[in-house]
Amino acid sequence: MIRLYNTKTREKADFETIERGKVGMYVCGPTVYNYIHVGNARTFISFDNIRRYLMWRGFDVKFVQNVTDVDDKIIAKSLEEGRSAAEVAAEYTEAFIEDMRRANVLDPDVRPKATEEIPEMIELIGELVDGGHAYEVEGDVYFSVRSFSDYGALSGRNVDEMEAGHRELRADGKGIEDRKRDPLDFALWKAAKPGEPAWDSPWGQGRPGWHIECSAMSRKYLGLPFDIHGGGGDLVFPHHENERAQSEAACGCTFANYWMHGGMLQINSEKMSKSLGNFKLLREVLEVTRPEVLRFLMLQTHYRSPLDFSNERLAEAASALCRIENAVKNLDWLLDNAEDIPSPLDLRALIERTRAAKMGFILAMDDDFNTCKALGEVFDFIADVNAQTAGKTLSLSDVPPVRDARALIVELMGVFGIDVEAAADAADGACAYPAEVVALAADIAGYEGADAAEAVDALLAARADARAAKDWARADAVRDGLCSLGFVIEDTPQGARVTYEG
């Protein structure tokens, strides 16, 4: 049974879906006025991992993620750059989708844009007005917070204690809002201002407030209630608190059964901000970091905990991932070189260990999607497989269980959106050889090309020739040169095998 932490109840609970075998999941998307940063990416990758795991466990997941393409920040950006808000939103929506795909985040099943769902928002606002939960003032419409008695339950706040810190600017930009009946009330609809996007409504021309869009979209595409509502921890209040209030006030039913929120990302143990000069865009990180490494780094911390991002931690993640990819490469080599000999392995133990590794992974992930513990299960399994196979030549009878062990490593990492099989097959992939190996091959083996993988092959061939000619100095020079660059050479009856550990 999967158990997950529900922000609203502040405890783990058994995950019971509304419809057997199906999951309705809504995760708040970006406001598209700039490129997303790695903190945004942490949330999206975390929920991508959760979605992938649910799918792997056999659930039919309908995943909805909105795009906020009308907002004060988009309008400000458009005025700053002298172009329309629609042009700004279109550019950064495309950039967001591109960045997500580069990070191997699955596309949502539905990606509604706020500007394309205005009629649904107007309908929902109308229901709130008719039900006495909202009111109109000079073209603006506000939600009456105190009309919803359960306001504050999600974020654990007391309504009376919130009053002093919940004031907002007037829709016309002229000072602090003083037309609301209560300082806590928030905008559902904002009256039109000159030069801003606007739509017709029963209250005059205007545009939606931020909170109403997710309520309208989730109701339209998932129905109420739905299973999981997710987002970053910074959205618990006021965004998700307001979403929940307006949705439940309108429908008279539960909005979402489970609320899930991801932890924040820090840079070198400090809050990420432009003022501190540590602001990192996702696309800038991916220019110098493999997407698999970034995803691996984020797996190493539980999704609800703060994650410290640094170049050092990225390097550590790259090295750890490399060990998994090397394990797959090594097993490939053993499988390709199996012989018709008696088995040197304890096949019963290997088969049982493979079964136990999968179960351990499931138990870890079933416990509130504990990716760091699940990764530990993968590493423990690899260590045990390596201990069984190290320095041995496989028998043909060993091939099926060893192939199954290899397949499980690939499968479990695939649950996290990391294709270690492709990396193992790619000469320029995961554990990419250092460029310095080309110069080493040119110096020792007379290699004239520029391909690092070919250079390693040339060095191994040169070492084999030197050993055959008893030119131990040259053979040692190849070995020492490769080792100094992070390679490990293992001599086997089938020839030298090399792995790169960085």
Side-chain angles (χ1 to χ4, degrees):
M1 168 67 76
I2 295 174
R3 289 176 60 80
L4 55 81
Y5 184 86
N6 188 346
T7 303
K8 183 173 181 290
T9 61
R10 292 162 190 80
E11 63 183 7
K12 292 180 187 177
D14 292 346
F15 180 48
E16 298 180 357
T17 59
I18 295 167
E19 187 174 351
R20 184 177 178 85
K22 295 186 177 183
V23 176
M25 191 171 180
Y26 188 98
V27 175
C28 289
T31 299
V32 285
Y33 68 98
N34 203 341
Y35 301 116
I36 66 166
H37 54 69
V38 289
N40 304 136
R42 197 264 170 112
T43 296
F44 301 138
I45 290 173
S46 292
F47 282 100
D48 183 60
N49 286 325
I50 291 168
R51 175 192 183 186
R52 286 174 180 270
Y53 180 70
L54 292 171
M55 292 167 61
W56 183 71
R57 292 282 268 125
F59 288 97
D60 178 9
V61 180
K62 184 174 183 180
F63 189 93
V64 181
Q65 183 175 65
N66 68 303
V67 172
T68 299
D69 60 346
V70 57
D71 181 81
D72 292 343
K73 294 178 180 178
I74 297 172
I75 294 168
K77 184 87 167 183
S78 72
L79 295 174
E80 176 187 324
E81 298 183 353
R83 53 180 176 151
S84 71
E87 289 172 326
V88 170
E91 175 185 343
Y92 291 112
T93 297
E94 183 177 340
F96 168 71
I97 294 172
E98 177 185 308
D99 287 349
M100 289 292 93
R101 289 175 178 169
R102 285 184 66 192
N104 201 26
V105 172
L106 297 173
D107 284 345
D109 296 302
V110 186
R111 200 195 310 267
K113 298 178 181 177
T115 56
E116 297 173 357
E117 307 291 336
I118 301 297
E120 288 75 12
M121 296 182 214
I122 291 174
E123 178 183 359
L124 179 53
I125 295 169
E127 293 173 17
L128 289 167
V129 172
D130 292 344
H133 293 287
Y135 56 93
E136 183 265 342
V137 181
E138 299 177 18
D140 294 334
V141 181
Y142 298 97
F143 181 81
S144 175
V145 165
R146 293 183 188 276
S147 74
F148 183 67
S149 61
D150 202 34
Y151 191 85
L154 177 62
S155 58
R157 299 177 183 229
N158 181 287
V159 172
D160 294 323
E161 294 174 357
M162 289 189 285
E163 187 166 342
H166 196 65
R167 300 180 71 83
E168 59 187 51
L169 295 177
R170 289 170 53 124
D172 61 11
K174 298 178 180 177
I176 296 296
E177 181 57 69
D178 56 7
R179 296 176 295 176
K180 297 188 295 185
R181 296 175 183 172
D182 189 307
L184 290 178
D185 297 347
F186 57 88
L188 300 172
W189 187 261
K190 298 182 177 183
K193 292 166 59 176
E196 290 189 357
W199 291 262
D200 290 331
S201 81
W203 315 284
Q205 280 219 322
R207 58 185 173 89
W210 176 35
H211 310 299
I212 196 67
E213 65 176 271
C214 291
S215 290
M217 294 176 189
S218 56
R219 181 169 80 163
K220 177 179 178 179
Y221 293 106
L222 293 175
L224 301 185
F226 57 93
D227 295 299
I228 297 174
H229 196 318
D234 57 329
L235 296 184
V236 176
F237 184 85
H239 184 49
H240 285 171
E241 191 73 73
N242 291 353
E243 265 191 70
R244 175 177 169 270
Q246 64 201 8
S247 294
E248 297 190 0
C251 74
C253 66
T254 298
F255 179 41
N257 283 349
Y258 301 91
W259 290 86
M260 299 180 65
H261 295 93
M264 295 296 97
L265 181 142
Q266 299 175 317
I267 304 292
N268 295 315
S269 302
E270 292 184 319
K271 180 180 178 181
M272 183 173 63
S273 70
K274 291 180 180 179
S275 62
L276 292 174
N278 63 359
F279 193 80
K280 291 184 180 290
L281 298 178
L282 173 61
R283 56 179 43 205
E284 292 174 342
V285 172
L286 292 179
E287 287 297 322
V288 295
T289 304
R290 291 172 47 225
E292 296 88 350
V293 171
L294 178 63
R295 292 184 70 102
F296 193 92
L297 169 63
M298 294 185 177
L299 290 170
Q300 293 176 306
T301 301
H302 190 278
Y303 79 92
R304 284 192 286 115
S305 299
L307 184 149
D308 189 41
F309 182 95
S310 67
N311 290 334
E312 291 75 18
R313 289 208 62 196
L314 274 176
E316 291 168 1
S319 179
L321 178 57
C322 193
R323 291 199 297 275
I324 297 176
E325 291 163 342
N326 275 334
V328 174
K329 291 180 183 179
N330 290 340
L331 291 175
D332 285 340
W333 192 91
L334 288 169
L335 290 165
D336 289 343
N337 289 278
E339 296 180 2
D340 188 8
I341 58 175
S343 172
L345 307 182
D346 184 342
L347 294 183
R348 180 177 295 180
L350 179 59
I351 292 168
E352 175 58 28
R353 184 66 185 88
T354 302
R355 185 203 65 78
K358 185 172 184 177
M359 182 55 62
F361 180 91
I362 290 172
L363 290 175
M365 288 297 289
D366 278 0
D367 184 14
D368 195 28
F369 310 102
N370 193 335
T371 56
C372 39
K373 186 174 181 180
L375 275 181
E377 294 289 341
V378 174
F379 275 110
D380 288 347
F381 177 55
I382 289 172
D384 290 344
V385 173
N386 286 344
Q388 270 245 42
T389 58
K392 297 174 182 175
T393 299
L394 296 187
S395 163
L396 294 177
S397 63
D398 298 329
V399 169
V402 173
R403 186 187 294 126
D404 288 346
R406 175 202 184 277
L408 181 64
I409 296 169
V410 172
E411 179 183 2
L412 298 184
M413 294 307 296
V415 173
F416 296 139
I418 297 175
D419 188 350
V420 294
E421 188 171 43
D425 291 339
D428 62 345
C431 300
Y433 294 161
E436 293 86 349
V437 77
V438 175
L440 180 67
D443 181 44
I444 297 179
Y447 176 66
E448 297 179 351
D451 184 271
E454 289 180 358
V456 171
D457 290 340
L459 285 164
L460 292 178
R463 180 173 180 265
D465 291 343
R467 285 163 64 89
K470 300 187 185 307
D471 185 352
W472 307 120
R474 187 164 182 254
D476 289 347
V478 172
R479 181 199 62 206
D480 294 344
L482 285 171
C483 290
S484 71
L485 295 175
F487 292 87
V488 175
I489 299 177
E490 179 185 357
D491 291 310
T492 75
Q494 293 76 31
R497 177 172 52 164
V498 65
T499 55
Y500 178 62
E501 297 186 350

